[in-house]
Amino acid sequence: FEVDHRKIDVGMYISRVDGDIVTYDIRMCKPNGGVYLPTPAMHTIEHLFATYARNSEYGQGVVYVGPMGCRTGFYLLLAGDYSSKDIVSLVIEMYEFIRDFKGEVPGASPKDCGNYLDMNLSMANYLGKKYLDEVLYGIDESRLVYPE
């Protein structure tokens, strides 16, 4: 809790670096902005995000993908020395995957998930498109580095 959440906007930031593990803040909603990710869509995005990240060119370095408890975004932990700018293409590809995904959500079964019925794919598709259009396509330094 070292960042002033009153100054953060939607974007994609480095949250912290622990040795060779980098934590990225994939911020989809403005903190304390009154609009938050609906839980079923967020759960679906988590499954799709993790599936894509673990099978990407960065897959061997993926340590963790998970939601923020405040429902404003996700954390991505990668082993390696990458800046936010270095992984923009990965995050764009992940959100295009989320936007375009149809069919059975990976891991959405009683065997694989403790709350497999709490999913909303159509809302996840919508939110993926919204994040791409409003944030990722054309992202610049103001949304890649935490504000002072």
Side-chain angles (χ1 to χ4, degrees):
F1 299 107
E2 297 178 14
V3 175
D4 187 342
H5 283 71
R6 297 169 298 181
K7 296 179 181 178
I8 300 173
D9 203 347
V10 294
M12 196 180 88
Y13 311 100
I14 289 180
S15 177
R16 60 184 293 148
V17 178
D18 299 289
D20 69 340
I21 306 297
V22 180
T23 301
Y24 300 92
D25 172 336
I26 311 298
R27 194 66 64 153
M28 294 180 68
C29 300
K30 184 169 181 54
N32 303 305
V35 176
Y36 306 98
L37 296 169
T39 304
M42 188 171 197
H43 189 196
T44 307
I45 291 169
E46 174 193 11
H47 279 240
L48 295 173
F49 192 145
T51 297
Y52 190 88
R54 291 177 183 144
N55 291 290
S56 74
E57 65 183 278
Y58 296 88
Q60 294 292 73
V62 173
V63 175
Y64 175 76
V65 172
M68 295 176 180
C70 61
R71 296 182 15 237
T72 60
F74 295 85
Y75 291 113
L76 169 63
L77 279 70
L78 286 178
D81 185 23
Y82 306 107
S83 70
S84 294
K85 194 175 209 170
D86 293 335
I87 67 158
V88 167
S89 62
L90 168 67
V91 177
I92 287 173
E93 290 169 10
M94 281 191 295
Y95 276 88
E96 288 173 340
F97 176 74
I98 292 163
R99 176 196 64 198
D100 298 338
F101 190 86
K102 304 292 179 233
E104 294 297 315
V105 175
S109 72
K111 174 186 166 281
D112 299 322
C113 180
N115 194 4
Y116 76 100
L117 294 176
D118 190 24
M119 299 274 178
N120 186 333
L121 179 57
S122 60
M123 181 58 75
N125 297 146
Y126 168 80
L127 292 169
K129 179 180 181 343
K130 180 175 171 45
Y131 192 59
L132 284 162
D133 292 345
E134 295 179 6
V135 180
L136 293 175
Y137 292 147
I139 196 166
D140 62 21
E141 288 293 318
S142 70
R143 293 189 185 210
L144 289 170
V145 178
Y146 277 141
E148 294 290 326

